[in-house]
Amino acid sequence: NKMNIAYMIFFVLIGLFSICGAFFNWDFFFESRKARPFVALLGRNGARIFYGVLGAFIIFCGIMAMVTA
């Protein structure tokens, strides 16, 4: 189904964005309104780890959704 493929690609891209933000330590990423609470709670390096793991999980979910469909 074309819609499932579109969702999978969307999830993979969002996951890659999260992983890249964590890996390259982008200021605009970690200073955004939605990331600030995680930086305050976990510290910058903790937030980087969190967003890297989150990105990997999102990619995994996107791939599993496609495989199981």
Side-chain angles (χ1 to χ4, degrees), residues 1-67:
N1 181 329
K2 288 184 180 182
M3 200 61 172
N4 286 345
I5 293 172
Y7 280 127
M8 185 199 76
I9 291 170
F10 178 73
F11 271 77
V12 169
L13 290 175
I14 295 299
L16 283 173
F17 179 72
S18 181
I19 289 172
C20 286
F23 183 78
F24 293 112
N25 199 16
W26 290 332
D27 284 334
F28 78 88
F29 189 90
F30 289 102
E31 293 172 1
S32 71
R33 177 178 54 87
K34 292 186 178 184
R36 272 188 228 133
F38 293 102
V39 174
L41 181 67
L42 304 171
R44 182 78 173 233
N45 285 332
R48 290 178 70 192
I49 293 168
F50 172 78
Y51 277 106
V53 171
L54 180 65
F57 179 73
I58 291 170
I59 290 171
F60 174 76
C61 287
I63 291 171
M64 289 307 295
M66 185 60 189
V67 170

